[in-house]
Amino acid sequence: MNFYDSEKMADLLKPHGYEIDICADNADLIVLNTCHIREKAVEKTYSELGRIRDQVKNRKEKTGKQSIVAVAGCVAQAQGKEIMKRSPWVDIVVGPQSYQNLPELIAKVDPIKKNNQINIDFPTIPKFDYLESEMNKREPSAFLTIQEGCDKFCAFCVVPYTRGAEYSRPIKSILDEAKKLIDIGVKEITLLGQNVNAWSYEGRDNKIWGLGRLIAELAKLKGLKFIRYTTSHPLDMDLELIEAHRDISKLMPYLHLPVQSGSDNILKLMNRKHTAKDYRKVIEKVRDFKPDIAISGDFIVGFPGETDKDHQETLNLIKEIQYSQAYSFKYSVRPGTPAAISYNQVNEEVKSKRLYEVQEILREQQLKFNLKSINSAIKVLVLRNGKKSNQYLGRSPFNQSVYFSSGHKNLIGSTIDINISEAFQNSLTGKIINTNNQKL
Ligand code: 5AD
Ligand code: SF4
C-alpha cells in the first residue's frame, strides 16, 4: 500500500514540476514514506532520516542549496510530534490520509525560516476524491487501492489506529482509475486494501456489491489482462469471491490469506474472530472451486502467552495447508495495542527459535511448489529487465518470479509462454516457447 501511496504522491506532484529521481542525493524534495506495522520498520525510519540529514540535507546546504524533507505514511501518523521533536530539521510530516495536501504543505515550507508543517488529520472527505491527477509512467503491473483501514482490531495490530476505520472506495472512482492505468499501458492490476475482501459498495443495480462482483466488472475492461487482490481476512471470503476464482479467467490463481496462528487459544487472544478450523474450511472451499490455486499467508510467532503446544499447532496447520509462499514475523510490541500490555510476553530467544521453525517449513514448501513448474509452460507477464544482459523478469499466474533471456528489445508488458527449466526457492528460470508462434 505504501508503494501505491508513493506513486500517487509522485502523480500529485507532477503538475507542480516534480519528477521522480532514482537517487535522493540531489533531490529538491525527499518524501520518506514509512511503515509502522512492526518496530523494525519504525527504527528504519529514524536511521534513514539520519542518513538523509547527513548525506543530502546538510551536504546540499553547504553548497547553498535547499532540499525539503517530508515524512509520510503510518510512522508520520502515529509519531508526528515525536518526529518533529527528534528531527526538528524535517520540514513536513504528513499522514496516510492527508497526503493529498502535500503540494499545499510544500508551498508553505520555508526552509530558511524552518516553519515545519504537520498534517496528520483523518479528513471527512476521503483523499481519493483529490487524487484525480495525471499519472506518471507505471510498470505493466500496478496497484490500485480500493479499500483502506480496518475495523477488525486484532490485538497486535496498529492498522485500525494508523489507517482508521474501514472505508470502501466508490465503484466509479475505482473503474476510472483502472481505465487510466490501462491507458498508460498497465496490463495487470492488484487491488489493494488492508482488508480488501471487506470492500463493498452500492452498485448501479442498487444492490451491494462485494469484491467478487467488482472483479467481474473490472474483468470486462479491454486491455486489462490480469487481476489480483491483497490482502484478505478469512471471515470476508464470501461465496461470490470464491466463485470468481473459478469463473473469471483474468483473476489470477493466487490467494494471500493470513491466519497468523494455528492455535485457537492464540487466535482468541489475538481477537481474530475465527478459529483454525474456520480457516481450514475456507481454504478447502477455495480449493474445491479452484484446485490449482496458490495459497499464501502471514504468521506471527511469539504472541504473548504462546506456548510450545500453540506453536506446534501453527506448524501443523502450515504442514497441512501447503503454502506456495508465506510471510512470517516475530511478534512485535506495538504501543497502544491491547497485546502490548500483556504480562506474559514471550522471550526473544524463544521467538527466534519458533520463527526459524516456521520459516524452515515455509521455505521447503515454497521450493516444492516451484519445483512442480519444471517442464511446464507458464504464461508470464514481462515486468522489467533483469540484471543480466538480455535478461527479463516476469511474473507467473501463481505470483512466482520468472527469469528468461531474449534478444528482443521490447518485451516489457507482453505476455509470453515460457517453458520452465529450473526452479529455486524464490524464482524460476526458463526459455521462450516457439518464438515464431508468439506475438512478441
Ligand atoms: N507483530 C508482528 N507482526 C505483525 N503483523 C501485524 N502486526 C504485527 C505485530 N505487532 C503482521 C501480520 C499481518 C502483516 C501485515 O504483518 O502477520 O498480517
Ligand atoms: Fe491488522 Fe489485518 Fe487484523 Fe485489521 S485484520 S487489525 S489490518 S491484522
Side-chain angles (χ1 to χ4, degrees), residues 28-48:
D28 300 310
L29 167 72
I30 298 171
V31 182
L32 187 64
N33 199 7
T34 61
C35 176
H36 197 244
I37 197 85
R38 285 169 294 275
E39 201 179 354
K40 233 185 194 168
V42 180
E43 285 161 16
K44 267 195 201 163
T45 299
Y46 287 104
S47 60
E48 192 60 19

Side-chain angles (χ1 to χ4, degrees), residues 276-419:
K277 193 170 164 198
D278 296 332
Y279 181 81
R280 285 182 169 94
K281 270 199 199 149
V282 173
I283 298 287
E284 202 179 309
K285 196 160 188 182
V286 171
R287 281 180 164 153
D288 273 352
F289 281 70
K290 185 78 186 165
D292 67 340
I293 196 163
I295 304 290
S296 171
D298 288 349
F299 296 91
I300 296 178
V301 300
F303 184 81
E306 187 187 64
T307 62
D308 283 341
K309 183 170 169 284
D310 295 320
H311 172 60
Q312 190 55 50
E313 284 174 7
T314 299
L315 297 178
N316 294 347
L317 181 119
I318 297 174
K319 283 181 199 156
E320 197 183 311
I321 300 289
Q322 293 285 325
Y323 290 89
S324 67
Q325 170 270 355
Y327 305 92
S328 48
F329 315 98
K330 283 187 212 174
Y331 167 69
S332 167
V333 175
R334 309 310 297 122
T337 60
I341 49 168
S342 295
Y343 63 93
N344 47 1
Q345 300 288 335
V346 175
N347 81 44
E348 207 45 40
E349 221 173 290
V350 174
K351 280 190 201 169
S352 300
K353 182 173 156 283
R354 289 182 184 166
L355 185 66
Y356 181 83
E357 287 171 4
V358 162
Q359 293 188 338
E360 193 174 37
I361 306 179
L362 290 173
R363 270 196 300 271
E364 276 168 22
Q365 293 188 351
Q366 192 172 354
L367 181 62
K368 191 169 147 203
F369 183 86
N370 287 346
L371 283 168
K372 281 197 290 191
S373 315
I374 289 188
N375 289 330
S376 65
I378 290 193
K379 251 191 204 333
V380 166
L381 172 64
V382 187
L383 299 179
R384 63 189 91 113
N385 290 111
K387 287 197 181 117
K388 298 180 190 161
S389 84
N390 288 341
Q391 191 191 43
Y392 284 101
L393 168 64
R395 183 179 294 143
S396 82
F398 306 110
N399 213 25
Q400 297 148 299
S401 296
V402 182
Y403 290 92
F404 65 95
S405 294
S406 171
H408 284 270
K409 287 286 168 255
N410 285 320
L411 292 186
I412 295 172
S414 334
T415 306
I416 296 183
D417 290 328
I418 303 285
N419 189 44

Side-chain angles (χ1 to χ4, degrees), residues 139-342:
E139 279 201 337
S141 175
F143 292 119
L144 199 174
T145 295
I146 63 163
Q147 181 278 336
E148 273 197 303
C150 182
D151 295 342
K152 301 271 190 303
F153 288 91
C154 297
F156 50 82
C157 186
V158 287
V159 167
Y161 312 96
T162 51
R163 291 268 176 175
E166 245 172 55
Y167 165 80
S168 289
R169 192 171 170 183
I171 299 166
K172 185 176 178 310
S173 160
I174 295 170
L175 290 175
D176 285 351
E177 186 161 322
K179 284 178 198 155
K180 277 193 193 167
L181 288 168
I182 295 164
D183 283 348
I184 60 165
V186 166
K187 307 280 191 250
E188 173 176 272
I189 290 180
T190 301
L191 305 172
L192 288 182
Q194 269 95 17
N195 249 306
V196 74
N197 59 343
W199 179 89
S200 72
Y201 208 87
E202 190 178 337
R204 53 178 176 271
D205 50 5
N206 297 330
K207 292 195 176 128
I208 298 296
W209 290 14
L211 181 59
R213 181 71 183 83
L214 177 69
I215 289 171
E217 197 67 15
L218 284 162
K220 290 182 193 157
L221 298 178
K222 245 181 108 206
L224 179 61
K225 290 194 167 170
F226 308 107
I227 302 170
R228 299 176 187 274
Y229 61 93
T230 198
T231 189
S232 299
H233 193 284
L235 289 181
D236 293 317
M237 268 328 278
D238 65 13
L239 184 63
E240 197 174 33
L241 181 56
I242 299 176
E243 283 175 342
H245 276 285
R246 177 193 61 193
D247 300 337
I248 301 175
S249 60
K250 288 186 181 181
L251 180 60
M252 292 295 95
Y254 174 86
L255 172 64
H256 178 246
L257 195 65
V259 62
Q260 316 297 355
S261 169
S263 151
D264 284 344
N265 291 336
I266 295 300
L267 288 171
K268 193 149 199 237
L269 292 171
M270 283 178 165
N271 191 31
R272 286 287 295 178
K273 304 181 186 85
H274 63 79
T275 62
K277 193 170 164 198
D278 296 332
Y279 181 81
R280 285 182 169 94
K281 270 199 199 149
V282 173
I283 298 287
E284 202 179 309
K285 196 160 188 182
V286 171
R287 281 180 164 153
D288 273 352
F289 281 70
K290 185 78 186 165
D292 67 340
I293 196 163
I295 304 290
S296 171
D298 288 349
F299 296 91
I300 296 178
V301 300
F303 184 81
E306 187 187 64
T307 62
D308 283 341
K309 183 170 169 284
D310 295 320
H311 172 60
Q312 190 55 50
E313 284 174 7
T314 299
L315 297 178
N316 294 347
L317 181 119
I318 297 174
K319 283 181 199 156
E320 197 183 311
I321 300 289
Q322 293 285 325
Y323 290 89
S324 67
Q325 170 270 355
Y327 305 92
S328 48
F329 315 98
K330 283 187 212 174
Y331 167 69
S332 167
V333 175
R334 309 310 297 122
T337 60
I341 49 168
S342 295

